[in-house]
Amino acid sequence: MGDHREFPAFAPGHCLPKTSSMSVTDSVTAVHDFRVTGYSLLDGMGVGRFVSSSVFTVGGLDWAVRFYPDGSTANCLGNASAFLYYCSRDKDVRARFTLNLMENDGRLSQVTNSYMKHTFSPASDNWGFIKFIEKSKIQGSPFLENDCLTIRCLLTVTKESRTQDVKTNSIVVPPSNLHQDFGNMLRDGEGADVTFTVCGQLFHAHRCVLAFRSPVFRAELFGPLRENATESIKIDDMEPMIFEALLHFIYTDTLPDNCNDGKAAAMQHMLVAADRYGVDRLRLLCERKLSEAIDVETVSTTLALAEQHHCSQLRGACIRFMASPDMLGPVMLTDGFKHLVASCPLILKEVLDEVSRIWRDKSS
């Protein structure tokens, strides 16, 4: 299996530095007319013998058209041949071309040869039409005027691809700092209009912020049973550190740094606070962190907590951990398991059912 790499997480609205480039492939197209005079004198000059145009330049490279009145090889008996010759021969080059006879009024024939594509190189310096035209069709045709033929070469030379930078908007928009502003508002206390006393420690906050982030705070602060605005609201069943972290999340949608140390006990208290005040995203965040930190010592207390606060995902993670091979025995020796048996006896049946399912799957 390949390595699994996680991409770093970025805050919502975070603008990453961006650069762009593009591959550019240009081409050059040109026309060269090769006039062959004295055609009747060339007829019978021999197979493989040719007359050549002057050298012309397209795309910085030299080319020539070669006309074989009696054909380029013995296999094209009765036909004239026409080829494009790559004179430069110093590098490979891709080209698209066609060769056609011009009528005496300067127009191309209605019956024209198709385009050819070829990569010319020192080892393959010519390409074209072995059976360019039947010799019998030249005499008396509109192609022949005053014993002269005109071959038109339409050539497109593809240049080497190059890469270039794309200029992007130079105006850099910084990431959103709304959460920082709200965090500063909580810390500075400017405009605060409600005070909480948590185990003797005072916390100042803003009613509107709390009400829009928590349905429980909304009921307490703006509902029929709202607290008196002039009095401090007392909370005696929560640690000040947990309440402070709850306020921090309500204002910034992030956990404070001291809650990211992986301690299960603090995260369990945070889950209780989130459930109590209806802060659903915080509750799910605590569920995830607790599920990632499950071990033999904490799984029982975490399962009891999940059962009490209806955390179905965390509950399932704990049951699967306890039912995994060689785990149930060590878990049963912990004090947390004794508390689980006393507080949630019915959940043990689900644990045993999961153990049975795992053993059935292994034996099948």
Side-chain angles (χ1 to χ4, degrees), residues 73-235:
T73 66
N75 294 331
C76 52
L77 184 65
N79 292 273
S81 304
F83 282 76
L84 177 65
Y85 180 69
Y86 176 42
C87 303
S88 295
R89 304 186 67 199
D90 56 349
K91 61 179 180 179
D92 293 1
V93 59
R94 292 183 296 126
R96 181 174 180 263
F97 71 96
T98 188
L99 300 170
N100 286 291
L101 287 171
M102 302 288 293
E103 295 185 358
N104 51 30
D105 58 0
R107 294 183 303 176
L108 281 175
S109 169
Q110 293 182 354
V111 181
T112 58
N113 292 314
S114 60
Y115 277 96
M116 283 189 167
K117 291 182 178 181
H118 185 65
T119 299
F120 291 87
S121 66
S124 180
D125 58 8
N126 66 91
W127 202 257
F129 301 90
I130 295 178
K131 296 181 178 180
F132 179 59
I133 186 173
E134 292 181 25
K135 294 175 61 177
S136 61
K137 294 182 178 179
I138 296 178
Q139 293 293 342
S141 72
F143 306 128
L144 190 64
E145 181 184 19
N146 297 327
D147 205 27
C148 296
L149 296 171
T150 299
I151 302 172
R152 169 161 291 181
C153 173
L154 178 60
L155 171 61
T156 298
V157 176
T158 303
K159 293 187 174 182
E160 291 185 3
S161 299
R162 67 185 190 281
T163 301
Q164 66 184 41
D165 293 334
V166 177
K167 292 184 179 180
T168 58
N169 194 342
S170 59
I171 301 175
V172 178
V173 179
S176 171
N177 61 349
L178 181 64
H179 63 292
Q180 295 174 348
D181 291 340
F182 269 75
N184 293 335
M185 183 171 67
L186 173 65
R187 185 179 63 254
D188 297 341
E190 185 176 354
D193 55 3
V194 63
T195 301
F196 294 89
T197 303
V198 184
C199 296
Q201 186 171 336
L202 296 180
F203 295 92
H204 303 287
H206 305 79
R207 290 173 176 262
C208 286
V209 176
L210 300 181
F212 277 94
R213 294 281 283 160
S214 162
V216 177
F217 276 129
R218 184 184 303 120
E220 288 184 356
L221 299 173
F222 292 100
L225 302 178
R226 61 183 177 272
E227 300 283 349
N228 191 319
T230 61
E231 296 180 359
S232 176
I233 300 174
K234 291 185 177 181
I235 300 175

Side-chain angles (χ1 to χ4, degrees), residues 262-273:
K263 292 183 179 179
M267 200 55 57
Q268 288 174 354
H269 289 302
M270 280 301 303
L271 187 148
V272 173

Side-chain angles (χ1 to χ4, degrees), residues 306-335:
E307 182 73 5
Q308 181 182 354
H309 293 277
H310 310 289
C311 302
S312 58
Q313 297 182 74
L314 179 58
R315 183 177 184 273
C318 291
I319 291 176
R320 288 190 296 273
F321 179 88
M322 295 175 71
S324 56
D326 302 324
M327 282 297 172
L328 186 56
V331 169
M332 292 175 65
L333 298 176
T334 63
D335 292 335

